[in-house]
Amino acid sequence: MDYLLQVKIGALVGLLLLTLLFGLIPARIKWFRDTNGSELHSTVLSLISCFAGGVFLAACLLDIIPDYLSDISAELDVRKVETSFPLAEFIMAAGFFMVLILERIVLNCREAAESQEERSPLMADNKNGHGHGHGHGHGHGTNPDLEGSGQHVHVDFQAHSPFRSFMLFLSLSLHSVFEGLAIGLQSTDSKVLEICIAILVHKSIIVFSLSVKLVQSAVRPLWIAAYISVFAMMSPIGIAIGISVMEAKLAAGALIQAVLEGLAAGTFIYITFLEILPHELNSPGKQLLKVLFILLGFSIMAALTFIG
């Protein structure tokens, strides 16, 4: 057991450091943060985002959902729960609606606040326009344009809203805990290493994609660093929990884990199909290239899953 414990702790430290490294690359490099770059710049960022979309799609369909379905069915079998109602899928739907409702509440509150804010400065603007000389009036003439561009940015901002990024981060973090749990619950060191390598490759791509998403959602750099740090700690926490669960045998532990996995899967479905893919595919230009990059991201993850 001693050597096995050492291998698990090594996996814990390795996962933590490498995830931090890959997560902070987009956050630290100004190129990724530059939102008003050239045509090429925005195309490249869009393609990276499509690639990330493919990665999340594969993570969702080939990784998270199958894991969850096998876990929950095993748990229901153990507890001799027999029902014709699709309980496992219902739990995923609950996760989906949880995010949908939360997000709509947040957007609703923000819209209410913004409409109040917009009303007051517009009045003030008009007074200023009348009060000042003609030169200033001319300056105000550019306002509708600014407003128009502001509106456009706002629409784009919705698609990459910080709340969605936060929910994406949350569901990924939950999943990372379970991935870590998978390492922590293994009983042979070869299996620990095998899973650890698979998760490392997988998490490096995902944390890079997550970081790009956060950078594009205009989240403050300090918060991005905090998000990435917390995300990097999730798998190690999972490993630690797994190790302690192996030491102390819990009765309902597996069921709780399975239900949480289901909620995480639902959030993942929401993020992938309602946030990442529509945003990229609805923005104009380079449609076939975008689909190609989504396929590329998906295929790489599918190949990893196949090998793993």
Side-chain angles (χ1 to χ4, degrees):
M1 181 58 208
D2 205 19
Y3 176 66
L4 180 62
L5 197 60
Q6 284 174 359
V7 172
K8 285 180 183 177
I9 290 168
L12 188 151
V13 175
L15 266 175
L16 179 68
L17 296 178
L18 276 164
T19 313
L20 272 175
L21 174 72
F22 277 97
L24 293 174
I25 290 171
R28 296 305 312 153
I29 295 175
K30 189 178 178 295
W31 189 89
F32 286 101
R33 293 201 301 276
D34 201 7
T35 48
N36 49 4
S38 62
E39 177 81 16
L40 177 72
H41 179 268
S42 55
T43 302
V44 171
L45 276 184
S46 177
L47 292 178
I48 290 174
S49 197
C50 285
F51 180 83
V55 169
F56 292 135
L57 182 63
C60 183
L61 295 178
L62 307 180
D63 188 5
I64 295 175
I65 294 175
D67 279 1
Y68 157 64
L69 289 175
S70 69
D71 285 357
I72 193 89
S73 64
E75 275 311 298
L76 294 177
D77 285 348
V78 167
R79 286 174 168 66
K80 310 255 187 307
V81 178
E82 284 188 19
T83 170
S84 58
F85 183 76
L87 190 62
E89 288 77 6
F90 181 78
I91 293 172
M92 281 200 291
F96 180 93
F97 282 113
M98 188 175 69
V99 188
L100 179 65
I101 293 164
L102 268 175
E103 182 181 80
R104 292 301 123 182
I105 291 170
V106 169
L107 286 180
N108 202 32
C109 294
R110 211 168 77 202
E111 273 169 17
E114 274 174 5
S115 63
Q116 278 183 330
E117 271 172 32
E118 272 168 22
R119 256 180 236 128
S120 44
L122 277 178
M123 295 296 200
D125 252 17
N126 275 347
K127 282 178 195 150
N128 286 355
H130 289 298
H132 290 295
H134 181 71
H136 252 74
H138 185 69
H140 276 292
T142 57
N143 238 10
D145 272 355
L146 282 175
E147 205 113 298
S149 68
Q151 263 336 89
H152 178 69
V153 168
H154 179 70
V155 171
D156 218 37
F157 182 68
Q158 288 285 6
H160 282 304
S161 77
F163 177 76
R164 284 189 179 180
S165 294
F166 176 71
M167 287 315 298
L168 176 66
F169 160 78
L170 202 64
S171 63
L172 281 168
S173 297
L174 257 179
H175 183 60
S176 293
V177 173
F178 298 129
E179 284 183 333
L181 262 176
I183 294 179
L185 294 170
Q186 292 312 314
S187 47
T188 63
D189 45 54
S190 59
K191 198 85 180 117
V192 168
L193 285 174
E194 191 183 305
I195 297 178
C196 185
I197 290 166
I199 291 178
L200 260 180
V201 178
H202 173 195
K203 266 197 88 165
S204 303
I205 299 172
I206 281 188
V207 76
F208 186 84
S209 310
L210 173 68
S211 189
V212 169
K213 275 259 161 279
L214 289 174
V215 168
Q216 289 176 353
S217 327
V219 178
R220 291 198 187 98
L222 194 68
W223 278 107
I224 294 177
Y227 274 17
I228 299 297
S229 307
V230 172
F231 181 67
M233 279 152 57
M234 286 302 171
S235 283
I237 288 172
I239 297 175
I241 294 171
I243 293 171
S244 48
V245 166
M246 288 284 278
E247 304 301 312
K249 311 280 185 279
L250 279 178
L255 182 67
I256 295 166
Q257 180 195 333
V259 171
L260 282 175
E261 270 182 341
L263 293 175
T267 56
F268 224 83
I269 293 169
Y270 179 89
I271 303 291
T272 307
F273 291 102
L274 266 76
E275 132 102 280
I276 298 173
L277 297 178
H279 174 70
E280 288 311 330
L281 295 173
N282 290 341
S283 52
K286 309 269 190 305
Q287 291 297 327
L288 285 174
L289 200 58
K290 285 178 179 176
V291 172
L292 192 71
F293 268 78
I294 292 172
L295 267 171
L296 184 68
F298 185 89
S299 305
I300 287 176
M301 291 299 281
L304 290 175
T305 308
F306 184 73
I307 296 162

